[in-house]
Amino acid sequence: MVFMGGAGETELSVRLLTDETWPAFARLVEANNGVWGGCWCMGFHVKLGKGRTAAENRSEKEQRVQEGRTHNALVFAGDECLGWCQFGSPEELPEVKSRRLYEKGLVALPDWRITCFFTGKGLRGRGVADAALGGALAEIARLGGGTVEGYPEETDDRKVSGSFLHTGPMAAFEKHGFTRTRPISPHRWVVTRTVEPA
């Protein structure tokens, strides 16, 4: 699957995280301190905390890739991976931020979750999050569609650190047709949309 998007002078493409794209993904993660200090994009798969090392997270992420148990839409400029967004079923991605408030307002689990975004240092502002989200939605449609949830941060013109935007910027979700469903923290929302099968 390739989703094309223009960003300044660079043409972006989106590819799925597979054995073939793992080396480019791993290079980006390693160049960015394992992402958030060693998460390796495992924080929504399992509860991270004391006792888990970056090496364990890396190994488990790679194993999930080999077994087809993780979904990331990787954004490339040529052969360089710039960033991604992660998506999957609630069974695949059981961990959510603001869990107490999330569960308090929960009526039914979605078919899909879009849990996190990452763009490498020095690569931000090039449309990576937007391209990644578009690629994830295209793959969700290919896989049968359904109800999709995201958990973006509303910046409301606040200056927000990139680490707070790891669940994605609200503007990207609204651009892709998501609707605010309910707040789960002062600035984080559950947003939803239905994706038709491709």
Side-chain angles (χ1 to χ4, degrees):
M1 177 240 357
V2 176
F3 169 88
M4 302 305 291
E9 300 167 10
T10 310
E11 189 102 327
L12 302 180
S13 64
V14 178
R15 304 176 209 163
L16 298 177
L17 178 57
T18 63
D19 286 337
E20 188 179 315
T21 55
W22 170 265
F25 169 82
R27 276 193 300 276
L28 179 64
V29 175
E30 287 163 355
N32 288 272
N33 190 32
V35 179
W36 320 128
C39 170
W40 275 87
C41 208
M42 283 296 297
F44 291 91
H45 287 295
V46 296
K47 196 165 185 69
L48 299 183
K50 291 178 183 171
R52 277 191 77 92
T53 66
E56 286 173 314
N57 290 336
R58 182 192 202 282
S59 175
E60 190 168 330
K61 185 72 175 185
E62 188 170 15
Q63 183 177 349
R64 285 173 182 261
V65 170
Q66 291 167 354
E67 296 170 354
R69 296 189 301 124
T70 188
H71 296 84
N72 290 59
L74 308 181
V75 179
F76 282 80
D79 293 329
E80 181 190 8
C81 181
L82 308 182
W84 67 79
C85 84
Q86 178 173 249
F87 62 100
S89 68
E91 294 75 26
E92 189 178 293
L93 300 167
E95 299 298 322
V96 293
K97 303 293 179 192
S98 312
R99 180 177 289 283
R100 187 179 59 79
L101 282 173
Y102 175 79
E103 290 181 344
K104 184 177 179 183
L106 183 65
V107 175
L109 285 173
D111 299 303
W112 299 92
R113 285 181 167 154
I114 294 176
T115 53
C116 63
F117 291 75
F118 182 77
T119 303
K121 286 180 191 144
L123 303 172
R124 298 186 178 123
R126 294 169 61 176
V128 173
D130 180 56
L133 182 53
L137 293 171
E139 178 63 7
I140 286 169
R142 192 188 70 79
L143 293 170
T147 305
V148 184
E149 265 185 5
Y151 315 98
E153 184 85 5
E154 173 56 84
T155 58
D156 294 320
D157 298 321
R158 294 176 297 130
K159 185 80 174 156
V160 179
S161 157
S163 61
F164 281 100
L165 293 176
H166 69 278
T167 54
M170 180 66 78
F173 280 92
E174 290 184 333
K175 179 180 175 183
H176 285 276
F178 283 81
T179 303
R180 298 178 194 217
T181 306
R182 64 187 196 279
I184 51 173
S185 81
H187 301 285
R188 182 171 293 132
W189 286 73
V190 176
V191 296
T192 57
R193 69 162 277 190
T194 300
V195 173
E196 297 300 324

